[in-house]
Amino acid sequence: MLEFLDLIFTFSYLEHAQGLNHSGFRQRTSLHRSRVTLQIPELGWSGFGMQLCYSLKSVEQSPSQKHWPWSVRHCAVYHSFDVEHIRTSWVIVKGDRETERRIQSVTSNGGAHELSVYDTIVNAFSSVMEIHLVLCDSAMENWRWYISFLEGKLQELTRATKSTAADIPLSPVTESPLSPLSKTATFGMSSQSQNPKKHQSQGYDKVPFTGTGSNSISKPVNGIPTPPREQRPQLTLYTSPKTGRTQPLPPGITAESLVSPKTRPVPNEIHGQKQFNFSDLQYTQHVEEKTSEILLAMDLNHQVVSQLGEYYQYIIENQDLPHNIRTECLGRVKDFLHRLNGVKCNLRLQMSRVEALLRLLADRKSLVSTCIR
């Protein structure tokens, strides 16, 4: 079948995964003598039988990839069944030998007797369906662990977005007690210089303070005696290194506390923005893309398994199939279809997990994007 070549062309060594969307199921059936086309006696092919090929995706651990120890791998399958010569042929292309070991364990002499004996067409037909099940089960077994790995990556990367405080102030404002506009810093001089009569009424003709920059003594006014120096308010003068202006300090403020003026945090210094950066957003996008890839791969697997079951349902109901196969293999085909339905149910279950994970990824990515703005 030339269609099988399309399936094996996806195999190559690539740095980035490609061809995940290439899959399918193809078949050619010739169960009636009038429809026999190609005959190859040298290969034991009478042209009276079935040919089919399909591709499945599986996920397997890849220890060589330290930062992402999982990879999606292809499995291309070709199968032919000659009804006249009771001969089956398989071509299975996969990147490891685990599938080969499992098939040998089923069909070898040490396996189930009815699956390892090809003396009758019924036994051969039953063995074929069992190999299909081995391939389908192998393509299913690791998806749940890979999805758990993706869920862990998401939580590890974005869990803190649910508890991070990311309140941004309106604008950065510098507050200094020595600001020329600060009423608190200049009340000692401004309030008195603006109303000199008030001080004269108290018996002083100057601002009543002493410090390092002034040793002046107030004179008595209207016969009111001047208080002793030790009873006068003791204020400290401070010269701003930026403006060169000297002024008294407010009560409770020391010169040491004015070395670095207090500044409100600017937006880039809030807790949330210190914890997240643009690389976190990029990695979240990477996890989202990987999750979308496996959703597509699992959906393609679901379609292939469904088509495989529909094909064997068609074969067992085909009146051109030899009567002994239709009668003796009917129960085994029903069991085969039932087990395929189990594979499809498991696939749908895992696909539901992936869809929920994609919705959570979109929400968390939005939170990460907000935290880094």
Side-chain angles (χ1 to χ4, degrees):
M1 297 179 65
L2 293 178
E3 296 85 350
F4 182 62
L5 296 178
D6 291 335
L7 300 179
I8 65 175
F9 284 158
T10 58
F11 288 84
S12 60
Y13 181 81
L14 298 173
E15 182 177 356
H16 303 287
Q18 297 178 8
L20 289 179
N21 58 343
H22 186 71
S23 184
F25 178 89
R26 304 289 185 272
Q27 58 85 18
R28 290 182 183 179
T29 305
S30 302
L31 295 178
H32 196 275
R33 293 293 181 181
S34 62
R35 300 173 185 172
V36 174
T37 55
L38 180 64
Q39 297 182 358
I40 310 177
E42 294 80 4
L43 298 179
W45 176 248
S46 65
F48 181 47
M50 305 175 296
Q51 296 183 82
L52 59 91
C53 64
Y54 56 87
S55 176
L56 292 171
K57 319 292 181 186
S58 63
V59 63
E60 299 176 8
Q61 289 187 341
S62 182
S64 60
Q65 301 177 176
K66 296 182 180 179
H67 301 290
W68 200 268
W70 293 89
S71 61
V72 178
R73 295 178 179 173
H74 305 267
C75 178
V77 180
Y78 167 80
H79 165 64
S80 65
F81 185 87
D82 191 286
V83 176
E84 182 174 325
H85 295 158
I86 314 179
R87 182 183 180 90
T88 64
S89 299
W90 292 90
V91 179
I92 302 174
V93 183
K94 200 170 186 296
D96 59 52
R97 308 189 70 88
E98 178 63 22
T99 303
E100 178 184 4
R101 184 190 64 78
R102 294 186 180 187
I103 293 175
Q104 288 178 348
S105 66
V106 172
T107 59
S108 63
N109 294 331
H113 177 71
E114 65 274 10
L115 300 179
S116 58
V117 177
Y118 288 77
D119 55 346
T120 64
I121 191 172
V122 174
N123 289 338
F125 195 77
S126 301
S127 177
V128 165
M129 291 186 291
E130 189 67 25
I131 294 176
H132 285 309
L133 287 173
V134 170
L135 295 171
C136 293
D137 289 338
S138 298
M140 261 302 304
E141 59 185 11
N142 288 326
W143 289 110
R144 57 174 297 192
W145 307 116
Y146 185 39
I147 296 172
S148 298
F149 169 79
L150 292 173
E151 291 172 342
K153 282 291 184 182
L154 170 64
Q155 295 299 334
E156 175 185 347
L157 186 64
T158 65
R159 183 185 289 112
T161 58
K162 298 189 298 182
S163 58
T164 295
D167 296 330
I168 301 177
L170 295 178
S171 61
V173 178
T174 301
E175 296 178 348
S176 173
L178 297 181
S179 172
L181 300 179
S182 175
K183 294 181 180 180
T184 305
T186 58
F187 77 94
M189 296 182 63
S190 61
S191 61
Q192 297 178 19
S193 61
Q194 291 176 2
N195 192 4
K197 294 182 180 181
K198 181 178 179 180
H199 297 290
Q200 293 177 2
S201 64
Q202 295 176 355
Y204 299 93
D205 59 354
K206 291 185 179 181
V207 179
F209 72 89
T210 60
T212 57
S214 174
N215 292 323
S216 59
I217 303 176
S218 301
K219 299 179 181 180
V221 180
N222 297 328
I224 299 177
T226 302
R229 178 182 296 272
E230 59 275 6
Q231 297 181 4
R232 300 174 186 176
Q234 300 295 323
L235 300 179
T236 303
L237 295 178
Y238 179 79
T239 302
S240 173
K242 294 183 178 180
T243 63
R245 183 174 179 176
T246 301
Q247 56 188 14
L249 296 177
I253 301 297
T254 62
E256 291 76 9
S257 65
L258 302 177
V259 175
S260 300
K262 297 180 181 179
T263 305
R264 293 180 184 177
V266 297
N268 288 335
E269 294 178 352
I270 62 176
H271 175 68
Q273 292 169 341
K274 285 183 178 180
Q275 187 169 358
F276 294 97
N277 50 47
F278 187 69
S279 62
D280 296 322
L281 182 61
Q282 290 177 311
Y283 198 75
T284 305
Q285 177 66 29
H286 176 70
V287 175
E288 185 177 23
E289 291 177 0
K290 289 291 187 181
T291 307
S292 299
E293 287 178 0
I294 68 170
L295 181 61
L296 174 60
M298 296 174 72
D299 181 60
L300 293 174
N301 280 357
H302 187 276
Q303 296 182 35
V304 169
V305 173
S306 299
Q307 289 176 313
L308 181 63
E310 292 172 0
Y311 177 71
Y312 274 89
Q313 180 71 39
Y314 158 77
I315 290 296
I316 201 63
E317 296 175 355
N318 194 323
Q319 297 299 321
D320 294 331
L321 189 69
H323 180 73
N324 59 337
I325 296 181
R326 286 193 290 113
T327 56
E328 297 183 35
C329 292
L330 180 60
R332 299 187 182 184
V333 171
K334 288 184 177 180
D335 181 64
F336 172 71
L337 297 177
H338 179 72
R339 293 175 64 181
L340 284 184
N341 285 332
V343 173
K344 292 190 294 182
C345 290
N346 197 359
L347 275 170
R348 285 194 295 268
L349 175 63
Q350 301 304 328
M351 289 169 64
S352 298
R353 288 182 61 193
V354 175
E355 291 170 353
L357 179 59
L358 280 173
R359 291 192 293 269
L360 183 59
L361 271 165
D363 294 340
R364 293 290 179 86
K365 189 172 68 172
S366 177
L367 284 176
V368 174
S369 178
T370 302
C371 287
I372 66 176
R373 289 178 183 175

